[in-house]
Amino acid sequence: MSDQTAYGLSMVTGTIKNIELTKKDRIILRELAQRVAEIAMRPEEESKRVLWYKINSLQPTRPVVFCDPENGWNEIIPEETLQNETELGRHWEMLLRKEIFWGNEMGDDRPVEPLFCIPYAYSESDWGMHEVRIGGVGGGSYRWDAPLKNYKDIDKLHFPELIIDHEKTDRMVLLAEDTFGDILKVEKRGLWWWSLGMTWTLVNLRGLEQIMIDMFDFPKELHQLMVILRDGHMAKVDYLEKNNLLSLNNDGTYIGSGGYGYTHELPQPDFDEGKVRTIDIWGFSESQETCYVSPEMFEEFIFPYQYPLLERFGLNCYGCCEPIDKRWQVVKKFPRLRRISVSPWANPKVMAEYLGSDYIYSLKPNPADLAVPQIDQDYIRKKIRNAFQVAKNCRVEIIMKDNHTIGKNSENVKQWSRIAREEAESL
């Protein structure tokens, strides 16, 4: 799963109660914003953007490298090192320090933009039922008690409701503009979902093992549940589109399960400035939870419900940790596919044959290689070199993500990025 690393677009902001900064906060944030702006103006940042534009349009280029430490950020920039005094200030400080690390130390191909994005503050109700999580303290593992124990209760489900706090959102925008708006461009941007795959919601409501049993024992009822989930997601997208709450993602916005949205193919030629439609933006879906389901079962119970959602978007990404090679003959039927995840559990040679130069081969190395005090650089170099050789006829991006730890050593991500860049540039 992704934590959405698009710059500034963090769901955490919506949970912050006090929209305030101290004088000390403002001084620190302005200094950090200035450093971000200086990095963003470097010529090499434009060179990085060109790489993403090329790969997103399927032009031949060297493999593009991106590293997101995800939970490892807590080891690179520990909470106790933050200097701001308020909750909001510390959150913004973390975002800015990430940008500075990406620009000055990471060494990958992620561009730093002179931009600070404020997401909408909002809450969203459940589907009428909600799982009870057991465990998970401190980000650890958990299990859950699925609430839809009998399909006789399916009528208790309803579509989630979005409650948007426009006043709180606008206060954050104004505060950011007042603090460093003369240094970085401040934008309000909607970030309303990570994936439109639906199966995460499905297994939370019904249970992972149970939905596999349902495919045999209760197929009719499972289809009814998928209709509800599809229509609920459709209603949400309709609401956001109708109320002009969507934002373009054809720039340095993180999209799908890895990669950035830089493209000249979006928005559509008939785009009306200020009225973003789904057809003007990238879409994304996946179904990691059904990785052990046969391609035939996937095609019957998942594909037909994801299809109408992806049909609405201008370009689409598909897949995350699930091995797509097993179900490619179904997945390739989705409309306007551009970026396909090649996870550590997929057959890389088969995926290279399937994707060729017609799609982006979004290579996801195993993050376990970084979850050690000191990485094995020779081993990692060999793995990356072999992976690039397998996909030499493809349009490759290599995405290091899903890191729960980087062995408490920030050098791990820097060394991985350096190795990946060296191997990419050697091609």
Side-chain angles (χ1 to χ4, degrees):
M1 289 264 172
S2 172
D3 66 348
Q4 282 296 350
T5 50
Y7 174 55
L9 302 181
S10 172
M11 301 302 289
V12 176
T13 305
T15 66
I16 292 174
K17 296 180 180 180
N18 297 318
I19 310 303
E20 60 183 12
L21 299 173
T22 65
K23 182 178 180 180
K24 177 184 175 182
D25 290 347
R26 290 172 181 261
I27 292 172
I28 294 170
L29 292 173
R30 283 187 61 80
E31 189 274 332
L32 294 173
Q34 185 62 50
R35 291 167 63 186
V36 171
E38 290 170 357
I39 293 170
M41 292 299 105
R42 298 181 312 195
E44 54 260 45
E45 301 309 305
E46 180 57 28
S47 298
K48 295 174 187 176
R49 296 181 193 105
V50 169
L51 279 174
W52 288 103
Y53 277 116
K54 281 187 175 181
I55 195 167
N56 284 336
S57 61
L58 302 178
Q59 296 179 49
T61 186
R62 68 150 172 93
V64 184
V65 178
F66 169 52
C67 179
D68 181 9
E70 294 199 3
N71 193 57
W73 280 116
N74 298 317
E75 299 168 13
I76 297 171
I77 310 172
E79 174 74 20
E80 60 269 20
T81 66
L82 298 177
Q83 300 173 24
N84 272 235
E85 297 173 326
T86 64
E87 182 184 15
L88 180 62
R90 294 171 73 83
H91 176 61
W92 285 358
E93 179 184 352
M94 175 62 101
L95 294 175
L96 293 169
R97 291 193 184 279
K98 284 183 180 181
E99 294 300 304
I100 294 167
F101 187 92
W102 253 310
N104 288 342
E105 300 189 61
M106 189 75 80
D108 65 359
D109 293 318
R110 180 189 182 276
V112 173
E113 297 288 359
L115 179 68
F116 194 86
C117 297
I118 303 293
Y120 286 85
Y122 74 93
S123 61
E124 186 171 8
S125 68
D126 59 23
W127 290 79
M129 296 182 182
H130 198 81
E131 76 278 4
V132 176
R133 295 192 179 190
I134 303 157
V137 177
S141 61
Y142 67 89
R143 58 188 177 88
W144 71 99
D145 183 24
L148 185 59
K149 300 185 184 305
N150 193 308
Y151 277 114
K152 292 179 181 179
D153 294 327
I154 198 169
D155 290 340
K156 295 180 181 179
L157 296 175
H158 59 68
F159 296 168
E161 179 185 5
L162 279 175
I163 303 173
I164 303 168
D165 192 335
H166 291 284
E167 189 271 337
K168 183 177 182 179
T169 303
D170 291 341
R171 282 171 55 205
M172 284 191 289
V173 171
L174 290 173
L175 185 56
E177 288 177 340
D178 183 59
T179 302
F180 45 69
D182 58 327
I183 303 173
L184 298 175
K185 183 180 180 182
V186 176
E187 285 190 6
K188 178 167 60 176
R189 291 198 180 188
L191 180 69
W192 307 102
W193 62 79
W194 170 64
S195 165
L196 292 170
M198 294 181 285
T199 51
W200 180 249
T201 304
L202 173 66
V203 302
N204 280 334
L205 287 173
R206 184 67 175 148
L208 183 57
E209 293 182 10
Q210 187 60 53
I211 64 167
M212 297 182 187
I213 295 171
D214 289 350
M215 291 177 181
F216 290 94
D217 291 353
F218 303 103
K220 180 180 177 180
E221 291 83 355
L222 180 55
H223 277 297
Q224 289 177 324
L225 179 54
M226 290 303 297
V227 167
I228 293 171
L229 296 181
R230 177 202 63 197
D231 291 351
H233 282 76
M234 280 286 201
K236 177 177 180 176
V237 173
D238 285 340
Y239 174 82
L240 294 170
E241 191 174 74
K242 179 180 178 181
N243 290 278
N244 197 28
L245 293 166
L246 297 174
S247 300
L248 292 177
N249 57 2
N250 61 341
D251 53 9
T253 302
Y254 181 94
I255 57 171
S257 62
Y260 283 82
Y262 297 98
T263 180
H264 297 300
E265 297 176 53
L266 299 172
Q268 301 297 330
D270 64 344
F271 175 64
D272 183 0
E273 191 69 36
K275 296 182 179 179
V276 180
R277 305 160 300 180
T278 50
I279 198 66
D280 296 315
I281 61 179
W282 290 88
F284 172 57
S285 191
E286 43 69 51
S287 188
Q288 301 170 85
E289 298 76 26
T290 63
C291 63
Y292 292 114
V293 168
S294 70
E296 294 77 17
M297 290 294 188
F298 172 80
E299 185 169 21
E300 178 181 353
F301 291 100
I302 309 302
F303 173 79
Y305 301 101
Q306 292 182 339
Y307 188 97
L309 283 160
L310 290 188
E311 193 173 29
R312 302 180 62 152
F313 291 85
L315 290 171
N316 283 308
C317 314
Y318 197 91
C320 191
C321 290
E322 73 270 42
I324 299 297
D325 56 304
K326 304 295 192 302
R327 55 182 59 165
W328 172 246
Q329 299 307 319
V330 181
V331 168
K332 70 178 184 179
K333 298 176 185 179
F334 284 116
R336 296 180 288 282
L337 282 179
R338 181 61 54 89
R339 174 174 270 104
I340 306 298
S341 180
V342 182
S343 80
W345 298 277
N347 184 314
K349 292 183 180 180
V350 171
M351 289 303 297
E353 294 171 1
Y354 285 155
L355 302 183
S357 60
D358 297 327
Y359 308 88
I360 297 168
Y361 185 105
S362 190
L363 176 63
K364 311 290 176 52
N366 196 323
D369 292 342
L370 271 62
V372 291
Q374 187 172 5
I375 63 172
D376 185 335
Q377 296 188 42
D378 292 338
Y379 171 75
I380 287 175
R381 185 179 296 278
K382 182 179 180 180
K383 282 181 65 175
I384 292 175
R385 183 176 295 174
N386 290 342
F388 285 169
Q389 186 61 33
V390 166
K392 62 183 179 180
N393 296 320
C394 301
R395 303 296 183 252
V396 180
E397 62 182 18
I398 182 167
I399 312 291
M400 173 54 73
K401 60 186 293 290
D402 296 316
N403 302 95
H404 291 283
T405 177
I406 55 171
K408 295 182 172 59
N409 183 2
S410 63
E411 291 299 314
N412 284 353
V413 293
K414 292 190 285 185
Q415 290 171 355
W416 182 90
S417 297
R418 174 182 55 79
I419 293 168
R421 278 280 299 270
E422 288 174 353
E423 291 301 314
E425 289 169 354
S426 72
L427 299 176

